[in-house]
């Protein structure tokens, strides 16, 4: 036994690396590297204790690679063991000259040796020189590859293709001859579109309301805490990508027309930015007006103040009321049942029904107005083309001035002016595209307009608060004064209904009979004041 030699095998660990997750999924880089390293270890008689894979480059810094950090921690946990670290290729070691030798020192400090399948490490001046050359070559290749990738990515963006992660509401689809292209991703595309347009129109008064809207959809992306945060909402509201344009500070690109389908118009995008730059709004509070169609529209006939709305608790249920809360007013604190006042206003809406002859006349008026608009659009297109040509000449002049100067301050000023001109060019181009209505647009819009004008009552009787408010907004030209004792005053009718009704002598009903007029409780002229004595409502 004394003559036997200790043949305990040397312990080894294997390190494998590919440059991205995509290579791990679509290729066999990690698997093939591990196989070759295990074959090498077996031929050398090494006992492989562990394998440490990586799927990122770390940009040359090995401490940014989770696998390499785990390998070094493994060696630190066993300071009494001496390991051999096996690499498939020198490029998997480190593709940066400085980091290469720092990693070599890290292994020496841990008493670990390094072996590579296609390179022999030698601790000699000649070996160190060759190693330095190969490490520098790897660094050069890495930087050249990075430059080529950046150039290709910029070129693709210049061609109108987005290259980064798909924005919320889009997804990538590979198309023949075009590569990966953004396409709308239902249902997120409609959610994002509604959120942006809602903020632009004022439906959502604040960004916080947009956030709550997005949060109401379980499918909307959230952070790791399961929340929709303000920053994500701000990104959605400020990205030109949703309007169909590409901007990139990294690649110096401003307002390039994109190849994908936009979710919103450029006009909507501009409205959003103006609203975000405007005055701040107070945080949202509970709005009881969501249950009252006339809130903010009905006013007290005695003092002209808007009627307030409230719910009153009875013995078995709650009751909805409007009331005046102006101190000193004769109607102060006197409540009006919601169904009563909204029912009377509904009768006024019901009476706004023109005759068939007026509908025919209106149709012809629409056609004449549409023809005038088409002629005006043609003139606007001609003027827009002239302005567009002028902008392009200005851009060429600015570019020429940039080429002729070496002053950095002047160059930055010209670049800012160039960005503004490019933005104006995009806006002008968008205006030209939208000047002429599309084929069939007239018939579609005419049908919608006449459908409402012919029977606004149909929309009112749905009972939806928002639908009723839309009817009131389109049918009347101002608030509706209401007296608790006498009913609604004569409201101001909007111009379309005035034209249809041929209002004269204080009448605004379209041929309604006396019974219909009486049932609405509307007086032809507004009195100077309410009756002096108004009995209080039992629930006031």
């Amino acid at each position: 036994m004394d003559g036997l030699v200790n043949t305990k095998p040397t312990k080894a660990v294997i390190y494998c690396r590919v440059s991205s997750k995509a290579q791990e999924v679509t290729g066999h880089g990690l698997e093939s590297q591990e196989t070759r390293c295990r074959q090498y270890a077996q031929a050398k008689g090494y006992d492989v204790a562990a394998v440490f894979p990586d799927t990122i480059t770390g940009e040359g810094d090995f401490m940014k690679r989770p696998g390499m950090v785990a390998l070094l921690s493994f060696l630190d946990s066993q300071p009494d063991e001496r390991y051999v670290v096996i690499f498939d290729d020198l490029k998997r070691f480190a593709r940066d000259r400085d980091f290469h030798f720092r990693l070599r020192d890290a292994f020496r400090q841990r008493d670990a040796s390094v072996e590579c399948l296609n390179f022999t490490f030698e601790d000699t001046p000649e070996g160190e020189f060759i190693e330095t050359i190969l490490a520098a070559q790897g660094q050069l290749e890495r930087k050249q590859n990075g430059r080529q990738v950046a150039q290709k990515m910029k070129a693709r963006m210049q061609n109108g293709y987005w290259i980064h992660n798909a924005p919320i509401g889009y997804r990538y689809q590979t198309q023949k001859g075009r590569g990966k292209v953004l396409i709308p991703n239902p249902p997120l595309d409609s959610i994002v579109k509604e959120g942006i347009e809602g903020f632009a129109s004022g439906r959502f008064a604040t960004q916080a309301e947009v956030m709550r809207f997005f949060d109401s959809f379980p499918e909307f992306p959230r952070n790791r805490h399961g929340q929709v945060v303000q920053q994500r909402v701000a990104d959605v509201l400020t990205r030109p990508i949703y309007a169909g344009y590409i901007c990139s500070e990294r690649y110096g690109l401003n307002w390039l027309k994109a190849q994908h389908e936009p979710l919103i118009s450029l006009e909507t995008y501009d409205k959003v930015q103006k609203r975000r730059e405007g005055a701040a709004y107070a945080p949202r509070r509970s709005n009881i007006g969501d249950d009252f169609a006339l809130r903010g529209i009905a006013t007290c006939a005695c003092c002209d103040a808007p009627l307030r709305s409230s719910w009153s608790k009875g013995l078995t249920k709650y009751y909805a009321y409007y009331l005046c809360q102006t101190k000193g007013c004769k109607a102060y604190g006197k409540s009006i049942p919601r169904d009563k006042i909204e029912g009377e206003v509904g009768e006024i809406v019901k009476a706004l029904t023109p005759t068939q002859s007026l509908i025919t006349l209106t149709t012809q008026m629409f056609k004449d107005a549409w023809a005038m608009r088409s002629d005006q659009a043609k003139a606007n297109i001609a003027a827009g083309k002239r302005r567009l040509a002028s902008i392009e000449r200005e851009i060429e002049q600015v570019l020429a001035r940039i080429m002729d100067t070496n002053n950095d301050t002047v160059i930055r000023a010209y670049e800012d002016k160039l960005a503004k001109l490019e933005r104006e060019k995009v806006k002008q181009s968008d205006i030209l595209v939208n000047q002429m209505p599309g084929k069939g647009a007239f018939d579609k819009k005419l049908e919608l307009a006449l459908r409402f004008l012919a029977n606004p009552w149909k929309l009112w009787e749905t009972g939806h608060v928002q639908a009723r408010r839309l009817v009131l907004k389109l049918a009347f030209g101002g608030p509706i004064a209401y007296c608790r004792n006498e009913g609604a005053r004569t409201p101001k009718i909007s111009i379309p209904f005035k034209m249809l009704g041929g209002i004269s002598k204080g009448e605004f009903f379209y041929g309604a009979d006396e019974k219909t007029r009486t049932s609405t409780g509307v007086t032809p002229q507004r009195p100077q004041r309410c009756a002096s004595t108004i009995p209080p409502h039992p629930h006031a």
Side-chain angles (χ1 to χ4, degrees), residues 354-364 500:
T355 62
Q356 184 57 45
S357 60
L358 287 173
I359 292 294
T360 303
L361 177 62
T362 304
T363 302
Q364 186 58 48
L500 284 174

Side-chain angles (χ1 to χ4, degrees), residues 269-303:
Y269 174 86
D270 288 337
K271 287 181 180 179
V272 169
Q273 308 320 306
K274 289 180 181 178
R275 290 209 61 212
R276 293 186 79 251
E277 295 169 1
Y281 289 82
R284 182 190 180 191
R285 59 181 176 84
S286 178
N287 188 4
I288 196 172
D290 291 340
D291 300 323
F292 297 85
L294 293 174
R295 184 176 174 90
I297 300 173
T299 61
C300 176
C302 297
C303 65

Side-chain angles (χ1 to χ4, degrees), residues 13-84:
V13 293
I14 295 173
Y15 178 77
C16 311
R17 182 180 65 81
V18 291
S19 300
S20 65
K21 280 282 185 181
Q23 291 184 10
E24 178 187 17
V25 174
T26 60
H28 304 281
L30 291 178
E31 181 181 346
S32 60
Q33 288 179 44
E34 180 181 345
T35 299
R36 290 193 297 271
C37 289
R38 285 189 178 276
Q39 292 173 349
Y40 176 86
Q42 184 178 6
K44 289 281 191 173
Y46 297 156
D47 179 19
V48 177
V51 178
F52 297 91
D54 260 324
T55 57
I56 61 174
T57 64
E59 298 178 350
D61 186 353
F62 60 86
M63 292 306 293
K64 291 182 180 179
R65 305 177 193 165
M68 181 58 74
V69 172
L71 191 158
L72 295 175
S73 299
F74 176 83
L75 298 179
D76 290 336
S77 67
Q78 302 179 71
D80 297 331
E81 295 286 348
R82 189 173 186 274
Y83 284 90
V84 175

Side-chain angles (χ1 to χ4, degrees), residues 328-385:
C329 178
K330 294 179 180 180
Y332 173 70
K334 306 301 188 297
S335 58
I336 309 165
R338 179 186 63 180
D339 293 343
K340 180 177 184 295
I341 182 173
E342 292 188 5
E344 292 182 10
V345 172
E347 289 299 320
I348 298 176
V349 173
K350 191 174 184 179
L352 296 176
T353 304
T355 62
Q356 184 57 45
S357 60
L358 287 173
I359 292 294
T360 303
L361 177 62
T362 304
T363 302
Q364 186 58 48
M365 290 169 61
F366 266 102
K367 290 181 178 179
D368 293 342
W370 193 267
M372 292 175 61
R373 180 185 171 186
S374 297
D375 293 339
Q376 184 180 15
K378 292 177 181 178
N380 291 341
I381 289 175
K385 288 181 177 179

Side-chain angles (χ1 to χ4, degrees), residues 55 124 147 177 187 209 303 320 359 407 451:
T55 57
T124 63
R147 181 177 60 190
E209 290 187 21
C303 65
I359 292 294
N407 188 302
R451 188 186 302 173

Side-chain angles (χ1 to χ4, degrees), residues 469-501:
R469 285 180 175 170
L470 178 62
V471 171
L472 295 172
K473 181 178 179 181
L474 295 176
F476 303 115
I480 300 175
Y482 190 87
C483 177
R484 179 173 175 272
N485 197 41
E486 301 177 10
R489 302 299 189 210
T490 305
K492 182 179 179 182
I493 308 302
S494 64
I495 291 178
F497 285 99
K498 272 188 178 181
M499 295 175 64
L500 284 174

